[in-house]
């Protein structure tokens, strides 16, 4: 607004950096498709709007990227594979349209775990390669919205859009030390993304700050006539988000569940709880029942739905898929209709338990991920990575939100001794994203420093 810098200047910087980060050793591989002409067209249009003082929204001129799971004209809708999206896309997903209407500059589409089937972000195929964690390039970003989190952490854009069916926004946001919001199921339209799992996936922003996440949420969250699951939603609000303290809020903690994480993660997450208490919130012990059943039932639901949707691909493109994708889809084929029905009965039970818990507390607190980002090994670059014990561990605090559809926010709160980010998660009742953002702003004050990643681009320089 001050005119010190124009969207066009920022866009030119980003283009130079996109060229640079693909040539670096190892390449960052955050953005996997981009087009200089497209970026400059959007930036010049935005520059003109700023000159004429007729900007479209708070996002006008702001660089964003979208996970390759979304349709973005004119890029290939590959969804992390080598066989999908053989032709350039001709129509935008709903969130893509909304970002364009808000004046955002789409700098490209971001890397992802093939078909969203894993939590590392490891994708060794020829179009994608393995995105690097900006804090430690020999570590994974987390997945499946891997490139989205890496792009934001590395400074290429302050906003990226991801999808989250089993932690796919929150795990990479946590591993890369940025903010990730998974909206309530149905809150942000997923029309125009590949419908991998229709009952567990929510869309949400990955951002540099909670305030940025709130801005993006307020622009994207509304019913979409093309997306039936969100039609009856209450109006999205940010009311009370900027309250000076947390007085009157009751924060639920199931300490047994909370403590199921690495010692380094636990120690800083416990301090974060004390910080929230010091701002006037009260901490209430709650019991989250049947968490083992939730874990199993969530896996049955997400994998059964993915296997159902990807049945033709599995038969026709089996040999073009990464090894871990094949293994997950093969595992999914062992579930029966009875398993799926039983899992959905568990969902009804779990939602009823949560409804009761949310009559006594406003939020549920947990660590975000039980550990920090894992190392990348040489073999991963060639054959990919399949470590089911890591997958289970990385999703431990994630699955409740996906299974029951409640909104969740992860906020970075510190670093391990090895210098890897550690994050904290807040979950709230359905449609109550505003309270998450209110608590998130206060968690940011707890983080006394933000360390610069070892791969970092200053697009305003």
């Amino acid at each position: 607004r001050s005119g010190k810098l124009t969207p066009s200047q920022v866009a030119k910087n980003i283009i130079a950096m996109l060229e640079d980060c693909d040539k670096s050793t190892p390449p960052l591989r955050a953005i996997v498709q981009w087009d200089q002409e497209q970026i400059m067209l959007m930036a010049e249009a935005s520059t003109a709007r700023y000159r004429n003082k007729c900007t479209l929204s708070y996002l006008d001129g702001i660089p964003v990227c979208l996970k390759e799971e979304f349709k973005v004209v004119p890029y290939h809708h590959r969804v992390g594979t080598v066989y999908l999206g053989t032709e350039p896309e001709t129509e935008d997903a709903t969130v893509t349209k909304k970002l364009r209407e808000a004046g955002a500059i789409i700098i490209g589409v971001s890397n992802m775990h093939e078909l969203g089937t894993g939590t590392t972000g490891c994708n060794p195929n020829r179009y994608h390669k393995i995105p690097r964690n900006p804090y430690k390039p020999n570590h994974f970003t987390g997945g499946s919205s891997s490139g989205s989190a890496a792009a934001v952490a590395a400074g290429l854009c302050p906003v990226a859009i991801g999808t989250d069916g089993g932690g796919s926004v929150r795990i990479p946001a946590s591993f890369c030390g940025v903010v990730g919001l998974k909206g309530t199921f149905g809150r942000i339209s997923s029309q125009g993304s590949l419908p991998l799992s229709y009952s567990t996936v929510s869309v949400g922003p990955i951002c540099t700050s909670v305030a940025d996440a709130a801005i993006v949420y307020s622009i994207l969250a509304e019913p979409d006539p093309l997306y039936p699951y969100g039609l009856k939603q209450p109006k999205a609000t940010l009311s009370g988000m900027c309250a000076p303290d947390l007085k009157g809020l009751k924060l639920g903690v199931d300490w047994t569940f909370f403590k199921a994480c690495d010692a380094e993660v636990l120690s800083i997450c416990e301090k974060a709880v004390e910080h929230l208490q010091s701002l006037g919130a009260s901490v209430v012990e709650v019991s989250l029942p049947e968490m083992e059943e939730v874990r199993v039932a969530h896996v049955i639901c997400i994998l059964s739905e993915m296997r159902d949707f990807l049945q033709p691909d599995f038969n026709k493109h089996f040999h073009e898929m990464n090894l871990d994708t094949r293994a997950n889809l093969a595992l999914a084929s062992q579930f029966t209709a009875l398993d799926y029905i039983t899992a959905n009965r568990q969902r009804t039970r779990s939602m009823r338990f949560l409804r009761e818990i949310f009559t006594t507390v406003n939020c549920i607190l947990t660590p975000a991920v039980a550990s920090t980002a894992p190392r990348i090994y040489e073999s991963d670059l060639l054959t990919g990575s399949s470590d089911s014990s890591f997958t289970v561990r990385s999703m431990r605090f994630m699955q409740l939100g996906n299974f029951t559809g409640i909104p969740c926010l992860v906020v970075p709160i510190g670093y391990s001794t090895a210098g890897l980010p550690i994050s904290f998660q807040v979950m709230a009742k359905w449609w109550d994203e505003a309270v998450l953002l209110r608590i998130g702003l206060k968690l940011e004050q707890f983080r006394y420093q933000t360390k610069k990643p070892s791969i970092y681009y200053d697009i305003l320089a």
Side-chain angles (χ1 to χ4, degrees):
R1 281 185 185 166
S2 69
K4 277 185 196 146
L5 205 57
T6 66
S8 297
Q9 284 169 288
V10 175
K12 282 183 185 131
N13 289 349
I14 291 170
I15 289 162
M17 287 156 190
L18 286 170
E19 284 167 348
D20 178 72
C21 65
D22 276 348
K23 290 182 192 135
S24 65
T25 314
L28 180 63
R29 297 306 293 157
I31 307 291
V32 286
Q33 299 181 58
W34 57 279
D35 181 300
Q36 184 169 341
E37 202 181 325
Q38 290 287 326
I39 296 171
M40 287 314 298
L41 274 174
M42 286 181 262
E44 279 155 11
S46 176
T47 300
R49 289 192 294 272
Y50 273 98
R51 198 184 304 122
N52 301 325
K53 300 202 170 19
C54 61
T55 50
L56 298 170
S57 79
Y58 284 120
L59 282 185
D60 206 327
I62 301 296
V64 305
C65 67
L66 292 100
K67 183 179 187 177
E68 201 179 56
E69 203 170 314
F70 293 98
K71 294 182 175 181
V72 183
V73 178
Y75 302 109
H76 295 266
H77 189 216
R78 291 192 180 117
V79 199
T81 70
V82 294
Y83 66 84
L84 286 172
T86 49
E87 296 298 316
E89 199 42 63
T90 53
E91 63 174 329
D92 280 330
T94 296
V95 286
T96 316
K97 278 191 196 116
K98 280 187 165 304
L99 290 167
R100 286 194 206 277
E101 286 161 8
I105 297 167
I106 296 168
I107 66 166
V109 294
S110 48
N111 206 341
M112 63 178 285
H113 202 108
E114 185 179 61
L115 295 167
T117 56
T119 60
T120 56
C122 182
N123 188 350
N125 74 42
R126 65 180 183 271
Y127 287 139
H128 297 87
K129 299 285 177 253
I130 295 175
R132 302 299 180 135
N133 190 316
Y135 276 91
K136 279 203 178 262
N138 58 342
H139 285 250
F140 283 118
T141 53
S144 64
S145 309
S146 47
S148 297
V152 172
L156 291 171
C157 52
V159 175
I161 308 299
T163 57
D164 189 316
S168 284
V169 158
R170 292 163 290 154
I171 294 168
S174 303
F175 283 169
C176 294
V178 288
V179 172
L181 172 66
K182 178 197 93 67
T184 304
F185 177 75
R187 178 61 106 179
I188 298 173
S189 172
S190 69
Q191 188 279 329
S193 69
L194 201 71
L196 292 163
S197 164
Y198 51 85
S199 80
T200 65
V201 173
S202 296
V203 177
I206 293 173
C207 300
T208 33
S209 70
V210 173
D212 290 353
I215 290 168
V216 180
Y217 166 75
S218 66
I219 286 170
L220 297 181
E222 65 174 3
D224 170 12
L226 301 172
Y227 179 66
Y229 303 118
L231 289 177
K232 294 270 190 275
Q233 60 177 281
K235 195 164 169 48
T237 104
L238 298 176
S239 68
M241 176 181 149
C242 298
D245 53 40
L246 299 177
K247 285 192 178 114
L249 287 186
K250 293 192 171 107
L251 313 177
V253 180
D254 177 331
W255 285 110
T256 311
F257 185 57
F258 191 100
K259 288 176 177 172
C261 59
D262 289 357
E264 268 191 308
V265 173
L266 179 61
S267 122
I268 194 160
C269 286
E270 285 177 330
K271 291 190 183 86
V273 175
E274 287 166 17
H275 167 74
L276 297 176
Q277 269 179 299
S278 75
L279 291 165
S282 53
V283 171
V284 179
E285 281 204 41
V286 295
S287 166
L288 294 172
E290 301 177 5
M291 290 310 290
E292 184 56 21
E293 288 82 349
V294 165
R295 183 180 77 75
V296 175
H298 167 262
V299 169
I300 290 169
C301 286
I302 190 169
L303 280 182
S304 298
E305 289 167 10
M306 288 173 96
R307 175 65 207 233
D308 167 52
F309 180 71
L310 294 168
Q311 182 69 27
D313 300 43
F314 191 70
N315 294 338
K316 201 170 154 197
H317 299 284
F318 180 82
H319 293 291
E320 295 168 274
M321 289 175 169
N322 290 337
L323 294 170
D324 70 313
T325 307
R326 294 185 214 173
N328 282 320
L329 292 175
L331 167 68
S333 68
Q334 301 305 302
F335 298 136
T336 63
L338 189 61
D339 293 330
Y340 185 70
I341 289 164
T342 311
N344 275 293
R345 286 187 174 145
Q346 178 64 43
R347 194 194 309 252
T348 309
R349 278 176 71 82
S350 297
M351 288 172 82
R352 192 177 303 139
F353 293 141
L354 281 181
R355 199 170 286 129
E356 282 169 26
I357 289 169
F358 284 126
T359 59
T360 58
V361 298
N362 302 89
C363 289
I364 297 167
L365 308 178
T366 68
V369 189
S371 61
T372 52
R375 264 196 72 104
I376 298 171
Y377 292 97
E378 281 301 306
S379 61
D380 300 335
L381 305 174
L382 302 169
T383 52
S385 160
S386 181
D387 179 346
S388 45
S389 65
F390 168 75
T391 307
V392 168
R393 209 170 148 63
S394 64
M395 287 166 63
R396 174 173 293 140
F397 299 117
M398 302 283 136
Q399 292 171 287
L400 183 63
N402 293 114
F403 190 50
T404 62
I406 57 173
C408 314
L409 178 74
V410 297
V411 179
I413 54 167
Y415 304 90
S416 69
T417 46
L420 286 161
I422 291 172
S423 293
F424 191 85
Q425 176 172 249
V426 193
M427 301 183 270
K429 67 176 183 295
W430 300 270
W431 317 115
D432 198 6
E433 285 87 349
V435 77
L436 297 182
L437 295 161
R438 176 180 171 186
I439 294 168
L441 284 173
K442 298 293 182 266
L443 279 169
E444 282 182 322
Q445 296 168 3
F446 168 72
R447 187 178 78 223
Y448 63 94
Q449 65 175 144
T450 303
K451 291 183 180 161
K452 205 175 198 173
S454 58
I455 301 177
Y456 187 76
Y457 295 95
D458 182 356
I459 58 172
L460 303 181

